[in-house]
């Protein structure tokens, strides 16, 4: 019978009472295998505490089998390289998952020792470990052939050499995050995707040197791709993204926010080729229109989250199509979509997603939205949050009425303080604040 971590923590003080020596009752009554099983439910901090109780518990608590999954982020972030080396020696081949996210003191040398000792590692998070370079990826390539998930986000010294090394030694790679590694170009992407055909998730946010040629390699060699993030890769155009759509029919999540060159052509390509699409983020893609979103909505019925912030050309027509064809919609951002009106929200509020699915709607800076929109949303029983910053026609009274129907909803709005009336009397000329500053 399994034991929860909470149950162990309840009994933990009681166990300590009987462990003042290696001859303690609990050590005599319970076989080591059972104690080892109990320890396997403990977190890093508790295991370290148990290791200080007695010699026998030290051996059991620090047994490599208890250290298959380690996340140091919530424990201690100023980890030094020697700690990683000690962990790797202790865990050896048992370790499957390690997160060193944000550990700024860990460098190539420690990770080389780690790679040599932990050759069965499958999931490794080095997000924000800014000291590491291509040398770390060379070590992983040489010693860790079972690696499946690797996070190198914000490791800005990473170059194409890292991707080439990973392609040679880590053919099972399924998920790679190299966001903000802005030295990477199409050559690195080409080497990676040709040797890692099982890639399912690729995060390239902020890789500003990537162009359409890189996307063509992805589309040609990654048929299993499910998630692709290209946020702020501003050089890409419809040409490269259409290749992705045609080659990656299993795509479920696409982020191209900040890629201002794309047009409705990409929405048509998604509609024709990627029927499983669930998440689409196209914030600040100002060339997209109702025409493209109509094609998308009519073909991608599994859409759950859409970020359309600053898609300034869309109108109520887009909301009408989403309300009809996308019954699973949960999160919708329409911030700065200044042509949206109450009528569009009315259709959305009466659509199939409204009653049981819609959880978040963002309407910041939508100047045509009034309290009538809040009335249309009061039947959205799953609605958890609504954003209404700078919606000049929304009133406190309208929000209060909405809360009578949805008492738990989080409403984020801002109401400017009332302007004080002009002072009476006096002939002194009044200046605005701008004049005073100038």
């Amino acid at each position: 019978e399994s034991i929860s971590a909470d149950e162990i923590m309840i009994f933990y003080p009681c166990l300590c009472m009987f462990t003042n020596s290696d001859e303690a009752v609990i050590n005599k009554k319970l076989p080591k295998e059972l104690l080892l099983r109990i320890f396997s439910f403990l977190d890093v901090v508790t295991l370290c505490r148990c290791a200080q109780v007695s010699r026998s518990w030290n051996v059991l608590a620090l047994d490599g089998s208890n250290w298959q999954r380690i996340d140091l982020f919530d424990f201690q972030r100023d980890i030094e390289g020697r700690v990683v080396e000690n962990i790797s020696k202790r865990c050896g081949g048992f370790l499957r998952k390690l997160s060193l996210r944000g550990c700024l003191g860990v460098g190539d040398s420690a990770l080389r020792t780690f790679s040599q000792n932990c050759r069965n590692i499958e999931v490794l998070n080095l997000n924000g470990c800014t000291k590491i370079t291509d040398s770390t990826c060379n070590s992983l390539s040489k010693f860790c052939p079972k690696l499946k998930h690797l996070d190198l986000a914000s490791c800005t010294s990473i170059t194409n050499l890292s991707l080439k090394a990973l392609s040679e030694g880590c053919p099972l790679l399924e998920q790679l995050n190299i966001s903000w590694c802005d030295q990477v170009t199409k050559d690195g992407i080409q080497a990676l995707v040709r040797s890692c055909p099982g890639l399912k998730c690729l995060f390239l946010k902020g890789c500003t040197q990537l162009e359409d040629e890189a996307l063509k390699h992805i589309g040609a060699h990654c048929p299993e791709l499910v998630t692709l993030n290209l946020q702020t890769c501003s050089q890409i155009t419809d040409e490269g993204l259409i290749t992705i759509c045609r080659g990656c029919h299993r795509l479920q999540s696409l982020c191209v926010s900040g890629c201002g060159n794309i047009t409705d052509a990409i929405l048509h390509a998604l509609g024709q080729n990627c029927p499983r699409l669930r998440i689409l983020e196209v914030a600040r893609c100002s060339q997209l229109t109702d025409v493209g979103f109509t094609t998308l909505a009519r073909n991608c019925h599994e859409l759950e989250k859409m970020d359309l912030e600053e898609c300034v050309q869309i109108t109520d027509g887009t909301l009408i199509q989403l309300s009809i064809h996308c019954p699973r919609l949960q999160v919708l951002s329409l911030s700065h979509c200044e042509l949206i009106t109450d009528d569009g929200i009315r259709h959305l509020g009466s659509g199939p997603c409204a009653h049981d699915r819609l959880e978040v709607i963002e309407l910041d800076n939508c100047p045509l939205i009034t309290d009538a929109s809040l009335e249309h949303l009061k039947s959205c029983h799953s609605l958890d949050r609504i954003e209404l910053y700078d919606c000049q026609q929304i009133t406190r009274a309208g929000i209060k009425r909405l809360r009578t129907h949805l008492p738990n909803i989080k409403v984020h709005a801002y109401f400017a303080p009332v302007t004080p009336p002009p002072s009476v009397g006096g002939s002194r000329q009044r200046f605005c604040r701008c004049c005073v500053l100038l």
Side-chain angles (χ1 to χ4, degrees):
E1 187 176 352
S2 63
I3 305 173
S4 71
D6 290 336
E7 290 173 319
I8 291 173
M9 291 304 295
I10 292 172
F11 289 111
Y12 171 68
C14 300
L15 293 178
C16 289
M17 293 171 59
F18 296 100
T19 53
N20 294 325
S21 72
D22 288 346
E23 298 303 317
V25 175
I26 193 166
N27 293 332
K28 294 179 180 178
K29 294 294 185 181
L30 293 182
K32 290 183 178 180
E33 291 78 13
L34 182 55
L35 281 171
L36 197 60
R37 175 63 174 162
I38 293 173
F39 285 176
S40 71
F41 290 92
L42 302 180
D43 59 29
V44 171
V45 177
T46 311
L47 280 171
C48 291
R49 288 173 180 167
C50 289
Q52 300 175 58
V53 171
S54 68
R55 292 188 185 90
S56 59
W57 275 37
N58 182 278
V59 172
L60 292 171
L62 298 182
D63 188 275
S65 63
N66 291 324
W67 298 71
Q68 296 183 43
R69 296 172 179 83
I70 305 174
D71 187 344
L72 297 176
F73 186 75
D74 295 324
F75 173 49
Q76 184 175 343
R77 302 187 194 183
D78 55 344
I79 298 296
E80 297 178 359
R82 61 179 179 80
V83 176
V84 175
E85 293 178 6
N86 290 339
I87 288 174
S88 71
K89 292 172 184 175
R90 173 66 62 180
C91 301
F94 286 108
L95 191 61
R96 298 291 189 277
K97 181 178 180 180
L98 175 66
S99 175
L100 297 174
R101 180 167 55 113
C103 293
L104 302 178
V106 176
D108 294 327
S109 177
L111 286 166
R112 178 175 178 81
T113 301
F114 164 82
S115 301
Q116 291 172 331
N117 290 321
C118 303
R119 303 190 181 207
N120 291 319
I121 191 73
E122 295 176 3
V123 179
L124 181 59
N125 188 339
L126 301 175
N127 189 321
C129 297
T130 53
K131 280 189 176 181
I132 70 171
T133 71
D134 294 328
S135 177
T136 286
C137 289
N138 285 329
S139 299
L140 293 172
S141 172
K142 188 174 181 180
F143 301 111
C144 303
K146 297 182 180 180
L147 192 62
K148 293 182 179 179
H149 294 188
L150 178 61
D151 191 337
L152 297 169
S154 300
C155 298
T156 52
S157 295
I158 294 299
T159 74
N160 290 336
L161 295 177
S162 285
L163 301 192
K164 291 175 181 177
L166 292 171
S167 71
E168 293 169 1
C170 304
L172 302 181
L173 206 59
E174 296 179 358
Q175 179 172 310
L176 178 65
N177 188 347
I178 51 171
S179 295
W180 309 114
C181 298
D182 55 5
Q183 297 188 60
V184 171
T185 71
K186 62 180 177 60
D187 294 332
I189 297 296
Q190 179 181 13
L192 177 75
V193 299
R194 283 187 171 180
S195 298
C196 301
L199 274 171
K200 294 181 179 179
C201 301
L202 199 50
F203 298 90
L204 305 173
K205 179 179 179 180
C207 294
T208 53
Q209 292 198 59
L210 296 185
E211 301 172 328
D212 289 334
E213 198 65 31
L215 304 194
K216 292 177 182 179
H217 294 306
I218 295 172
H221 297 285
C222 298
E224 303 295 319
L225 197 66
V226 173
T227 299
L228 179 62
N229 190 320
L230 296 164
Q231 183 173 336
T232 67
C233 296
S234 55
Q235 297 191 63
I236 65 174
T237 71
D238 294 337
E239 184 180 359
L241 284 170
I242 289 173
T243 306
I244 294 284
C245 296
R246 290 174 177 171
C248 307
H249 298 290
R250 299 187 180 186
L251 196 65
Q252 294 182 21
S253 176
L254 175 64
C255 176
V256 287
S257 293
C259 301
N261 294 322
I262 67 173
T263 71
D264 285 341
I266 180 57
L267 300 180
H268 291 301
L270 285 168
Q272 293 166 1
N273 296 281
C274 304
R276 301 182 188 180
L277 193 67
R278 293 172 40 246
I279 299 173
L280 178 64
E281 299 179 29
V282 288
R284 304 183 302 284
C285 297
S286 58
Q287 297 188 61
L288 303 180
T289 73
D290 292 337
V291 176
F293 284 112
T294 295
T295 301
L296 182 78
R298 289 178 177 176
N299 291 278
C300 298
H301 306 302
E302 297 183 19
L303 279 166
E304 296 176 1
K305 177 183 177 182
M306 296 185 72
D307 185 352
L308 311 184
E309 181 175 349
E310 292 188 43
C311 291
V312 294
Q313 295 194 56
I314 66 170
T315 71
D316 294 338
T318 289
L319 299 193
I320 292 171
Q321 295 301 321
L322 292 176
S323 68
I324 296 171
H325 301 291
C326 301
R328 299 186 181 184
L329 199 60
Q330 297 176 16
V331 179
L332 179 62
S333 176
L334 298 167
S335 299
H336 295 272
C337 296
E338 298 187 358
L339 302 180
I340 297 296
T341 75
D342 294 332
D343 192 54
I345 302 301
R346 177 177 66 82
H347 281 89
L348 191 67
S350 61
C353 72
H355 299 289
D356 301 316
R357 296 279 186 167
L358 193 63
E359 297 176 0
V360 176
I361 183 165
E362 299 179 356
L363 297 168
D364 300 326
N365 294 94
C366 292
L368 303 181
I369 295 296
T370 74
D371 287 349
S373 284
L374 304 187
E375 292 294 318
H376 298 320
L377 294 172
K378 66 185 182 183
S379 60
C380 301
H381 303 298
S382 296
L383 199 59
D384 177 66
R385 176 168 61 87
I386 183 169
E387 304 282 339
L388 297 167
Y389 289 113
D390 291 315
C391 293
Q392 301 294 326
Q393 300 191 65
I394 295 292
T395 68
R396 288 187 175 90
I399 293 174
K400 185 176 181 180
R401 286 193 296 272
L402 177 65
R403 282 197 166 120
T404 61
H405 296 275
L406 304 172
N408 297 319
I409 192 171
K410 301 179 185 69
V411 180
H412 297 157
Y414 172 76
F415 295 95
V418 176
T419 304
S423 58
V424 179
S427 59
R428 184 164 58 94
Q429 187 176 2
R430 298 176 67 251
F431 295 99
C432 67
R433 185 175 297 274
C434 296
C435 297
V436 174
L437 292 174
L438 294 173

